[in-house]
C-alpha cells in the first residue's frame, strides 16, 4: 500500500514534468526551426499552423486532465445518497450487504473517496475514474496521444534537419537509438540532440499507450461496462450502444470534443431520472 501511495504522488509529477519538457521543446526548439526566413514567412505558414495545432492539443489535454482531478469526495458522497448513518468505512470491511450500495459503487483506499460507476484508479491523475469524470478521462487520453504524435513528427523533422538524415526507411527510426548512443559516447552527438532522440521514443510509448487505453475504454463504454465490472464479473443489462455512449458523453458531446467541459452529469441520465 505504501508503494501505491508513493506512485500515486510520483506519477502525476512525472506526467507534468514530461508535459513541461514537451511544451518547451515544441515552442522554443521545433517550431522556431521551421522558420527558414522569418521576414518572408506567410501568415498561414506550416510552422504557424503546427504551433496552433500543438497549442490546441495541449490545451485540451491539460484542461481535461485538470477536470479529471477536480471532483471532490464530498460531492460524490452526496450523489450516492448512502442513507442516514452510512459510513464510508463500510466499504472497507464490506460489512454492508450487496444490495445496500449502488451497482459498481466502490471505495478506493488510495484517494479515500466513494466513486459511482467506478472504473479504475488512475495513478497519473491521482484520482479514481467514474461517472463524474469518465468523459474527461477519455478526452484526456485522446488529446494526450495526439499531442505525443504531433511532438513525435515535429521531433523527427528536427532531427532529420539537424543530423541530415532521412526517415524514409522504416528501419531508420528503429536503428536511430542504438546509433545515437554510440555516437553520443564517441563525442559525435551533442547532449541536446541525444535528449531529443530519447524524447522521441518516450512520446511514441506514451502516445501508443494512451491511444490503446482510449480504444479499450471506448469498447467498454459501447458495451455498457466498466473495468471494475469486468474484473468483478458483474453482469450488466444489455442496452443499445448509442444509449451507452450518450450516458457517458451526453448530448453535447461535440462541445466536449472541442473544448474541456466538466461533465458533472450526463443529460441522458437526468432525463431518465425525471
Amino acid at each position: 500500500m505504501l508503494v501505491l501511495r508513493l506512485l500515486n504522488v510520483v506519477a502525476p509529477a512525472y506526467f507534468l514534468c514530461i508535459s513541461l519538457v514537451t511544451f518547451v521543446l515544441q515552442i522554443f526548439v521545433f517550431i522556431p526551426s521551421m522558420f527558414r526566413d522569418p521576414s518572408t514567412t506567410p501568415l498561414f505558414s506550416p510552422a504557424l499552423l503546427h504551433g496552433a495545432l500543438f497549442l490546441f492539443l495541449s490545451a485540451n489535454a491539460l484542461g481535461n486532465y485538470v477536470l479529471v482531478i477536480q471532483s471532490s469526495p464530498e460531492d460524490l458522497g452526496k450523489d450516492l445518497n448512502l442513507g442516514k448513518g452510512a459510513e464510508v468505512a463500510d466499504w472497507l470491511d464490506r460489512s454492508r450487504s450487496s444490495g445496500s450500495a449502488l451497482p459498481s459503487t466502490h471505495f478506493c483506499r488510495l484517494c479515500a473517496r466513494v466513486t459511482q460507476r467506478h472504473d479504475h484508479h488512475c495513478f497519473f491523475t491521482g484520482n479514481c475514474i467514474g461517472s463524474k469524470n469518465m468523459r474527461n478521462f477519455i478526452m484526456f487520453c485522446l488529446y494526450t496521444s495526439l499531442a505525443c504524435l504531433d511532438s513525435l513528427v515535429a521531433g523527427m523533422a528536427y532531427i532529420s534537419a539537424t543530423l541530415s538524415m532521412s526517415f524514409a526507411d522504416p528501419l531508420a527510426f528503429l536503428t536511430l537509438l542504438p546509433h545515437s548512443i554510440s555516437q553520443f559516447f564517441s563525442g559525435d552527438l551533442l547532449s541536446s540532440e541525444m535528449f531529443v532522440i530519447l524524447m522521441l521514443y518516450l512520446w511514441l510509448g506514451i502516445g501508443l499507450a494512451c491511444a490503446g487505453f482510449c480504444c479499450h475504454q471506448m469498447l467498454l463504454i459501447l458495451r455498457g461496462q466498466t473495468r471494475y465490472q469486468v474484473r468483478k464479473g458483474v453482469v450488466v443489462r444489455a442496452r443499445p450502444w448509442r444509449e451507452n455512449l450518450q450516458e457517458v458523453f451526453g448530448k453535447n458531446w461535440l462541445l466536449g470534443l472541442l473544448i474541456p467541459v466538466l461533465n458533472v452529469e450526463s443529460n441522458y441520465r437526468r432525463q431518465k431520472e425525471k
Side-chain angles (χ1 to χ4, degrees):
M1 181 60 66
L2 181 61
V3 176
L4 294 179
R5 291 185 181 275
L6 181 62
L7 182 62
N8 200 44
V9 176
V10 174
Y14 174 78
F15 172 78
L16 293 177
C17 181
I18 294 298
S19 302
L20 179 61
V21 171
T22 302
F23 182 82
V24 171
L25 287 176
Q26 282 273 18
I27 300 300
F28 297 102
V29 180
F30 298 159
I31 295 179
S33 66
M34 299 178 185
F35 291 91
R36 297 181 180 179
D37 187 2
S39 61
T40 60
T41 301
L43 180 60
F44 295 103
S45 64
L48 291 177
L49 294 177
H50 170 78
L53 176 62
F54 173 73
L55 291 178
F56 171 75
L57 297 176
S58 301
N60 275 276
L62 183 60
N64 283 287
Y65 179 83
V66 173
L67 292 179
V68 167
I69 62 179
Q70 189 175 351
S71 299
S72 62
E74 292 80 11
D75 294 337
L76 290 176
K78 292 178 182 178
D79 291 341
L80 286 177
N81 192 18
L82 300 179
K84 185 177 181 180
E87 298 291 341
V88 173
D90 293 337
W91 271 265
L92 278 174
D93 57 8
R94 299 180 182 180
S95 60
R96 294 174 63 89
S97 61
S98 59
S100 60
L102 294 178
S104 302
T105 299
H106 177 68
F107 176 80
C108 179
R109 296 172 180 266
L110 295 176
C111 57
R113 66 182 62 189
V114 179
T115 308
Q116 188 176 355
R117 284 192 61 82
H118 176 82
D119 188 87
H120 69 284
H121 181 88
C122 177
F123 288 98
F124 284 99
T125 60
N127 197 6
C128 281
I129 308 302
S131 60
K132 292 283 186 180
N133 51 13
M134 175 59 73
R135 184 182 70 176
N136 297 121
F137 179 75
I138 294 294
M139 293 295 102
F140 162 69
C141 292
L142 174 63
Y143 280 107
T144 299
S145 62
L146 293 178
C148 287
L149 176 60
D150 179 84
S151 301
L152 176 63
V153 173
M156 291 175 63
Y158 173 79
I159 291 297
S160 178
T162 303
L163 302 182
S164 300
M165 62 180 302
S166 175
F167 288 97
D169 185 5
L171 296 178
F173 183 79
L174 298 178
T175 58
L176 176 61
L177 184 59
H179 289 169
S180 301
I181 293 177
S182 61
Q183 292 178 0
F184 175 74
F185 285 106
S186 62
D188 298 332
L189 194 65
L190 298 177
S191 300
S192 58
E193 297 170 347
M194 186 63 197
F195 179 75
V196 173
I197 292 175
L198 292 176
M199 289 299 298
L200 293 180
Y201 289 91
L202 184 61
W203 288 325
L204 177 63
I206 296 177
L208 291 178
C210 289
F213 201 90
C214 182
C215 294
H216 174 69
Q217 206 70 43
M218 285 298 300
L219 179 61
L220 292 178
I221 292 175
L222 291 173
R223 296 166 55 183
Q225 290 182 308
T226 63
R227 293 180 60 186
Y228 179 76
Q229 290 174 335
V230 174
R231 187 170 67 251
K232 295 297 183 180
V234 178
V235 180
V236 297
R237 181 173 59 89
R239 295 188 307 177
W241 61 271
R242 293 184 179 179
E243 293 185 7
N244 296 328
L245 280 179
Q246 195 175 48
E247 185 178 9
V248 174
F249 292 93
K251 288 187 175 181
N252 300 325
W253 61 271
L254 184 58
L255 182 63
L257 185 63
L258 298 177
I259 59 175
V261 178
L262 182 62
N263 186 26
V264 178
E265 190 173 12
S266 65
N267 296 332
Y268 175 79
R269 178 169 294 181
R270 289 178 179 176
Q271 291 178 359
K272 287 189 66 176
E273 291 179 351
K274 291 181 179 180

